[in-house]
Tab-separated table of all heavy atoms in Angstrom:
chain	number	residue	atom	x	y	z
A	1	ASN	N	100.083	114.602	104.537
A	1	ASN	CA	98.875	114.036	105.208
A	1	ASN	C	99.143	112.565	105.592
A	1	ASN	O	98.185	111.950	106.093
A	1	ASN	CB	97.624	114.102	104.244
A	1	ASN	CG	97.199	115.592	104.187
A	1	ASN	OD1	97.275	116.160	103.049
A	1	ASN	ND2	96.656	116.197	105.207
A	2	LEU	N	100.276	112.035	105.121
A	2	LEU	CA	100.359	110.561	105.421
A	2	LEU	C	101.171	110.317	106.681
A	2	LEU	O	102.169	111.125	106.972
A	2	LEU	CB	101.178	109.985	104.189
A	2	LEU	CG	100.408	110.017	102.874
A	2	LEU	CD1	101.327	109.354	101.737
A	2	LEU	CD2	99.101	109.477	102.901
A	3	ILE	N	100.879	109.403	107.354
A	3	ILE	CA	101.501	108.957	108.645
A	3	ILE	C	101.892	107.410	108.448
A	3	ILE	O	101.009	106.686	108.474
A	3	ILE	CB	100.568	109.130	109.827
A	3	ILE	CG1	100.063	110.600	109.995
A	3	ILE	CG2	101.342	108.849	111.145
A	3	ILE	CD1	98.990	110.940	110.938
A	4	ALA	N	103.131	107.234	108.484
A	4	ALA	CA	103.694	105.810	108.411
A	4	ALA	C	104.373	105.323	109.690
A	4	ALA	O	105.128	106.021	110.212
A	4	ALA	CB	104.706	105.777	107.283
A	5	THR	N	103.771	104.220	110.091
A	5	THR	CA	104.308	103.608	111.422
A	5	THR	C	104.811	102.284	111.180
A	5	THR	O	104.137	101.375	110.489
A	5	THR	CB	103.053	103.503	112.465
A	5	THR	OG1	102.676	104.906	112.599
A	5	THR	CG2	103.655	103.028	113.730
A	6	VAL	N	106.029	101.909	111.581
A	6	VAL	CA	106.547	100.541	111.516
A	6	VAL	C	106.610	100.013	112.795
A	6	VAL	O	107.397	100.393	113.759
A	6	VAL	CB	108.022	100.676	110.940
A	6	VAL	CG1	108.575	99.305	110.759
A	6	VAL	CG2	108.031	101.393	109.589
A	7	ASP	N	105.757	99.006	113.117
A	7	ASP	CA	105.700	98.402	114.437
A	7	ASP	C	106.728	97.222	114.484
A	7	ASP	O	106.521	96.225	113.699
A	7	ASP	CB	104.253	97.864	114.688
A	7	ASP	CG	104.026	97.396	116.148
A	7	ASP	OD1	104.984	97.311	116.836
A	7	ASP	OD2	102.997	97.122	116.416
A	8	LEU	N	107.593	97.212	115.453
A	8	LEU	CA	108.635	96.153	115.610
A	8	LEU	C	108.246	95.160	116.673
A	8	LEU	O	109.220	94.362	117.239
A	8	LEU	CB	109.894	96.732	115.936
A	8	LEU	CG	110.515	97.650	114.809
A	8	LEU	CD1	111.836	98.167	115.099
A	8	LEU	CD2	110.414	97.028	113.448
A	9	SER	N	106.964	94.988	117.063
A	9	SER	CA	106.631	94.094	118.112
A	9	SER	C	106.897	92.620	117.632
A	9	SER	O	106.742	92.283	116.469
A	9	SER	CB	105.053	94.148	118.373
A	9	SER	OG	104.763	95.453	118.897
A	10	GLY	N	107.429	91.795	118.520
A	10	GLY	CA	107.760	90.429	118.182
A	10	GLY	C	109.099	90.283	117.358
A	10	GLY	O	109.305	89.185	116.816
A	11	ARG	N	109.846	91.318	117.231
A	11	ARG	CA	111.137	91.238	116.496
A	11	ARG	C	112.209	91.053	117.365
A	11	ARG	O	113.501	91.232	116.904
A	11	ARG	CB	111.325	92.577	115.579
A	11	ARG	CG	110.188	92.843	114.612
A	11	ARG	CD	110.230	91.869	113.561
A	11	ARG	NE	109.228	92.007	112.413
A	11	ARG	CZ	109.337	91.316	111.319
A	11	ARG	NH1	110.162	90.566	111.074
A	11	ARG	NH2	108.194	91.613	110.519
A	12	GLU	N	112.101	90.489	118.625
A	12	GLU	CA	113.310	90.317	119.546
A	12	GLU	C	114.236	89.248	118.813
A	12	GLU	O	113.783	88.256	118.263
A	12	GLU	CB	112.730	89.736	120.780
A	12	GLU	CG	111.878	90.700	121.691
A	12	GLU	CD	110.440	90.757	121.345
A	12	GLU	OE1	110.144	90.074	120.289
A	12	GLU	OE2	109.659	91.530	121.948
A	13	GLY	N	115.464	89.579	118.940
A	13	GLY	CA	116.566	88.822	118.482
A	13	GLY	C	116.880	88.802	116.895
A	13	GLY	O	117.670	88.104	116.457
A	14	SER	N	116.119	89.764	116.284
A	14	SER	CA	116.354	90.010	114.802
A	14	SER	C	117.775	90.655	114.658
A	14	SER	O	118.084	91.528	115.374
A	14	SER	CB	115.281	90.848	114.190
A	14	SER	OG	114.056	90.279	114.397
A	15	ILE	N	118.443	90.228	113.565
A	15	ILE	CA	119.751	90.690	113.217
A	15	ILE	C	119.721	90.789	111.721
A	15	ILE	O	119.353	89.907	110.927
A	15	ILE	CB	120.843	89.724	113.660
A	15	ILE	CG1	120.921	89.632	115.249
A	15	ILE	CG2	122.215	90.256	113.163
A	15	ILE	CD1	121.155	90.914	116.012
A	16	GLY	N	120.443	91.985	111.209
A	16	GLY	CA	120.463	92.165	109.785
A	16	GLY	C	119.309	92.930	109.282
A	16	GLY	O	118.474	93.479	109.997
A	17	THR	N	119.190	92.991	107.933
A	17	THR	CA	118.219	93.767	107.185
A	17	THR	C	116.964	92.857	106.962
A	17	THR	O	117.115	91.815	106.363
A	17	THR	CB	118.687	94.243	105.893
A	17	THR	OG1	119.846	95.073	106.124
A	17	THR	CG2	117.613	95.107	105.242
A	18	ILE	N	115.810	93.301	107.346
A	18	ILE	CA	114.508	92.499	107.333
A	18	ILE	C	113.542	93.429	106.790
A	18	ILE	O	113.278	94.496	107.278
A	18	ILE	CB	114.199	91.929	108.613
A	18	ILE	CG1	115.320	90.932	109.201
A	18	ILE	CG2	112.893	91.076	108.628
A	18	ILE	CD1	115.144	90.485	110.607
A	19	PRO	N	112.706	92.909	105.878
A	19	PRO	CA	111.552	93.764	105.456
A	19	PRO	C	110.409	93.668	106.477
A	19	PRO	O	109.993	92.602	106.882
A	19	PRO	CB	111.046	93.049	104.071
A	19	PRO	CG	111.676	91.679	104.084
A	19	PRO	CD	112.848	91.748	104.979
A	20	VAL	N	109.959	94.799	106.755
A	20	VAL	CA	108.818	94.808	107.771
A	20	VAL	C	107.644	95.565	107.320
A	20	VAL	O	107.866	96.680	106.614
A	20	VAL	CB	109.409	95.528	109.193
A	20	VAL	CG1	108.293	95.650	110.181
A	20	VAL	CG2	110.624	94.751	109.585
A	21	GLN	N	106.410	95.218	107.627
A	21	GLN	CA	105.231	95.784	107.086
A	21	GLN	C	104.959	97.193	107.698
A	21	GLN	O	105.330	97.329	108.933
A	21	GLN	CB	103.981	94.891	107.287
A	21	GLN	CG	102.725	95.503	106.628
A	21	GLN	CD	101.602	94.367	106.690
A	21	GLN	OE1	101.816	93.308	106.885
A	21	GLN	NE2	100.392	94.923	106.423
A	22	VAL	N	104.629	98.101	106.945
A	22	VAL	CA	104.440	99.478	107.353
A	22	VAL	C	102.905	99.865	107.314
A	22	VAL	O	102.227	99.436	106.365
A	22	VAL	CB	105.222	100.533	106.597
A	22	VAL	CG1	104.909	100.497	105.111
A	22	VAL	CG2	105.057	101.892	107.157
A	23	SER	N	102.417	100.547	108.330
A	23	SER	CA	101.059	100.814	108.314
A	23	SER	C	101.005	102.387	107.999
A	23	SER	O	101.524	103.250	108.611
A	23	SER	CB	100.406	100.725	109.674
A	23	SER	OG	99.103	101.230	109.745
A	24	VAL	N	100.270	102.669	106.892
A	24	VAL	CA	100.123	104.039	106.472
A	24	VAL	C	98.717	104.664	106.665
A	24	VAL	O	97.803	104.000	106.175
A	24	VAL	CB	100.521	104.301	104.946
A	24	VAL	CG1	100.519	105.705	104.538
A	24	VAL	CG2	101.873	103.573	104.731
A	25	ALA	N	98.607	105.738	107.423
A	25	ALA	CA	97.293	106.324	107.701
A	25	ALA	C	97.230	107.591	107.018
A	25	ALA	O	98.172	108.268	106.646
A	25	ALA	CB	97.093	106.367	109.179
A	26	VAL	N	95.912	108.120	106.799
A	26	VAL	CA	95.734	109.415	106.311
A	26	VAL	C	95.141	110.428	107.261
A	26	VAL	O	94.288	110.030	108.010
A	26	VAL	CB	94.613	109.144	105.149
A	26	VAL	CG1	94.357	110.640	104.440
A	26	VAL	CG2	95.194	108.350	104.018
A	27	SER	N	95.696	111.477	107.341
A	27	SER	CA	95.267	112.633	108.203
A	27	SER	C	94.512	113.694	107.339
A	27	SER	O	94.784	113.805	106.140
A	27	SER	CB	96.280	113.318	109.004
A	27	SER	OG	97.221	113.960	108.153
A	28	GLY	N	93.562	114.398	107.904
A	28	GLY	CA	92.827	115.454	107.129
A	28	GLY	C	91.690	114.927	106.341
A	28	GLY	O	90.995	115.892	105.838
A	29	SER	N	91.359	113.639	106.381
A	29	SER	CA	90.186	113.105	105.719
A	29	SER	C	89.731	111.900	106.363
A	29	SER	O	90.466	110.868	106.456
A	29	SER	CB	90.442	112.887	104.291
A	29	SER	OG	89.300	112.127	103.671
A	30	ASN	N	88.584	111.832	106.975
A	30	ASN	CA	88.045	110.669	107.618
A	30	ASN	C	87.306	109.723	106.719
A	30	ASN	O	86.574	108.777	107.158
A	30	ASN	CB	87.252	111.003	108.944
A	30	ASN	CG	85.991	111.803	108.519
A	30	ASN	OD1	85.712	112.080	107.402
A	30	ASN	ND2	85.219	112.256	109.540
A	31	ARG	N	87.354	110.033	105.400
A	31	ARG	CA	86.638	109.117	104.492
A	31	ARG	C	87.669	108.612	103.544
A	31	ARG	O	87.212	107.993	102.447
A	31	ARG	CB	85.612	109.991	103.657
A	31	ARG	CG	84.436	110.595	104.612
A	31	ARG	CD	83.444	111.327	103.748
A	31	ARG	NE	84.058	112.481	103.076
A	31	ARG	CZ	83.473	113.180	102.138
A	31	ARG	NH1	82.252	112.871	101.805
A	31	ARG	NH2	84.091	114.243	101.549
A	32	SER	N	88.913	108.793	103.688
A	32	SER	CA	89.954	108.133	102.763
A	32	SER	C	90.831	107.049	103.440
A	32	SER	O	90.884	107.114	104.713
A	32	SER	CB	90.873	109.346	102.196
A	32	SER	OG	90.095	110.267	101.613
A	33	TRP	N	91.488	106.283	102.694
A	33	TRP	CA	92.335	105.273	103.206
A	33	TRP	C	93.442	104.961	102.201
A	33	TRP	O	93.402	105.364	101.006
A	33	TRP	CB	91.554	103.967	103.551
A	33	TRP	CG	90.914	103.311	102.344
A	33	TRP	CD1	91.459	102.234	101.561
A	33	TRP	CD2	89.571	103.622	101.602
A	33	TRP	NE1	90.538	102.004	100.540
A	33	TRP	CE2	89.476	102.768	100.556
A	33	TRP	CE3	88.587	104.558	101.918
A	33	TRP	CZ2	88.349	102.794	99.784
A	33	TRP	CZ3	87.468	104.563	101.167
A	33	TRP	CH2	87.337	103.700	100.070
A	34	ILE	N	94.381	104.132	102.562
A	34	ILE	CA	95.513	103.720	101.720
A	34	ILE	C	95.254	102.329	101.260
A	34	ILE	O	94.962	101.414	102.067
A	34	ILE	CB	96.859	103.838	102.498
A	34	ILE	CG1	97.095	105.214	102.907
A	34	ILE	CG2	98.000	103.279	101.586
A	34	ILE	CD1	97.223	106.215	101.755
A	35	TYR	N	95.308	102.152	99.878
A	35	TYR	CA	95.032	100.925	99.354
A	35	TYR	C	96.413	100.089	99.203
A	35	TYR	O	97.492	100.646	98.781
A	35	TYR	CB	94.381	101.045	97.962
A	35	TYR	CG	94.391	99.788	97.160
A	35	TYR	CD1	93.455	98.826	97.465
A	35	TYR	CD2	95.288	99.451	96.089
A	35	TYR	CE1	93.359	97.690	96.675
A	35	TYR	CE2	95.206	98.265	95.403
A	35	TYR	CZ	94.269	97.419	95.666
A	35	TYR	OH	94.216	96.190	94.950
């Protein structure tokens, strides 16, 4: 039920290994969220 998206907007010119924030959404329940 988890959908994880990594948005690389604004990462032009990046080289090497970089930690990037991931957005995790929930499917199957419109009353739940990821803390």
Side-chain angles (χ1 to χ4, degrees):
N1 293 108
L2 302 181
I3 304 170
T5 305
V6 181
D7 187 355
L8 299 185
S9 298
R11 296 289 178 174
E12 293 83 356
S14 297
I15 299 294
T17 302
I18 300 174
V20 180
Q21 188 168 343
V22 58
S23 175
V24 183
V26 177
S27 66
S29 173
N30 63 359
R31 296 182 299 171
S32 301
W33 66 93
I34 299 300
Y35 170 75

